[in-house]
Amino acid sequence: MSSPPLVSPVSHPHDLPVLDWTHRLTQLGPRFFTHLQPTPVAAPRWAARNEALRVELGWPNALFDDEHLQAFAGNALMVGSQPLATVYSGHQFGQWAGQLGDGRAIWLGEAASAQGPQEIQLKGAGRTPYSRGGDGRAVLRSSIREYLCSEAMHGLGIPTTRALCLVASPEPVRRETMESAAVVARVAPSFLRFGHFEHFSAQGDMDSLRLLADHAIAHHLPECRERAVLWQGNMYAALLDEVQERTAKLLAKWQAVGFCHGVMNTDNMSLLGLTIDYGPFQFLDGFDPGHICNHSDHQGRYAYGRQPNVAYWNLYCLAQALASLIDDQEMTLQVLEGYKTLFPRYLGDAMRAKLGLVGDLAPEFEREADWTLVEDLMQLMAAEKVDFTVFWRQLSQAVVVQSTAVALTDAGWSGVTDLVLDRPRLLKWLSLYTERAGQNNFAAMGQQMLRSNPKFVLRNHLAEIAIRQAQAGDFSEIDTLYNLLKSPFDEHPGMQAYADLPPDWAGQLEISCSS
Ligand code: AMP
Ligand code: MG
């Protein structure tokens, strides 16, 4: 299908820009990106508009009017935007993959917002010099998944790129079968990846590497300045340390909610510690540490239980890239060591919160005892592949129920004991848990647990239903899911079906890298 030319710029009113743009990234110079125009798509339609995010960012209504539909489709340019694609490299599935880059995501600029400057990218807006063999497009299926999961993660309190809107087009796109095109507008303070640093390091271009690191510190991670005190004033060691800590926090949150990313290549790792590049991700149904959500991941490199180690491996790649700037090998290794204590600490705290056992100041022996409790429970869940989300939510509910009883009873735990075959083993665990918690605390704990254990996550089969309806022209299920997932800890009366165990057909869904 031939593409119509880009139409005139979008502006409101009388050529005043709707967003207030800056372009600090462009100051880095042409080695970092290529200016280009999005490729228009035929007959765009709104598939979803994220009003809550628009309001949160303080952006005007006009952003979601018909003229902006053309801009978010890549058929027109917003006044003040300066579209470009950036270059990066990376390690994919453990191998150096060389140059990659934004092959289908087009950067429009940074727009001032109530939350500080936000970069906007159109994902699926056409080919770029970094597309390699790709068509520069994204299919509706994977774009719906990205739109919904970005907002689901945000609702869960997990750092992520956000999704502002989703535009669908009937334009055909070839994947395993013929599908149709879509463009997601995604938003983040920065889309910098580990791979951006690996790129210039691999090229031996130290000037660009330094420019990029200085840019990241000045505009996105100013806390590195203070952190440098811990590293003899070495700002680049502080940068690695900051990224390392954010990554450890992120991974703890992923693990605690049962999120599998699926493609943790270094080019899919955000410098800001955001979840980025939603592809074959999955929220666990049955708990299985070896679960592989990406059908293209034959070795299980990115299995759920391996994610924390893979993140460390990726940080190692970032460290190699930054090593010449840090210029102190021992210090670089010392920074990396941090992950080994930070990650278990964050995961421990996240799991303790799921059990209602909060308290950052808990002494070490208590944390260790709590971790034993967590491990025992996880082993029990793994043995039976108990549904991860349902179990934790039911446990939270059961604690609330028990808190209202005169005395604890086995029947009071039926919400969770009904979920397992080995009831005696779970009852034994529950008695240890009760001993640790002290029944008096149950009311407060139950409330805490209901805020730590979501009722709703974006299971594959839920996304699939929204996708099938959207492919048939009805986008309403996207909104239904969006409304649940943006407040996943709320009860949402009448929507229980969305919190139930997955249907049998969910096990047959195959999610690959193809997007
Ligand atoms: P991903 O696996 O989605 O993170 O993509 C890896 C690399 O392939 C990135 O450089 C993407 O920009 C690029 N890529 C993926 N799909 C396409 C596509 N359809 N067209 C062009 N580039 C793509
Ligand atoms: Mg990617």
Side-chain angles (χ1 to χ4, degrees), residues 88 92 100-101 104 123 186 193 261 263 265 267-269 276-278:
Y88 53 80
Q92 298 187 318
L100 304 162
R104 53 175 170 173
K123 182 169 175 180
R186 58 182 184 181
R193 301 148 189 270
H261 181 282
V263 207
N265 295 333
D267 54 304
N268 290 339
M269 296 292 292
I276 190 170
D277 278 12
Y278 292 91

Side-chain angles (χ1 to χ4, degrees), residues 23-86:
H23 301 275
R24 295 177 299 183
L25 190 69
T26 61
Q27 290 160 11
L28 289 172
R31 274 174 293 184
F32 293 83
F33 56 81
T34 304
H35 277 296
L36 43 67
Q37 304 286 316
T39 307
V41 282
R45 254 179 90 184
W46 290 116
R49 281 171 275 191
N50 189 344
E51 279 293 341
L53 177 58
R54 184 187 64 70
V55 171
E56 204 179 299
L57 296 175
W59 290 346
N61 280 321
L63 208 56
F64 287 159
D65 66 16
D66 286 348
E67 283 169 80
H68 281 84
L69 169 63
Q70 298 301 326
F72 285 116
N75 296 356
L77 281 186
M78 282 189 253
V79 168
S81 63
Q82 289 183 16
L84 57 81
T86 70

Side-chain angles (χ1 to χ4, degrees), residues 172-229:
V173 176
R174 180 180 296 280
R175 294 293 180 261
E176 279 85 2
T177 58
M178 287 311 280
E179 301 191 44
S180 64
V183 182
V184 187
R186 58 182 184 181
V187 172
S190 166
F191 288 99
L192 283 178
R193 301 148 189 270
F194 291 10
H196 281 105
F197 293 83
E198 289 179 278
H199 181 73
F200 294 103
S201 164
Q203 298 217 321
D205 182 351
M206 292 309 131
D207 291 344
S208 295
L209 185 66
R210 188 181 301 274
L211 259 179
L212 185 61
D214 291 345
H215 166 91
I217 294 167
H219 300 308
H220 302 299
L221 299 168
E223 50 275 63
C224 292
R225 292 201 189 99
E226 259 174 51
R227 195 182 276 267
V229 177

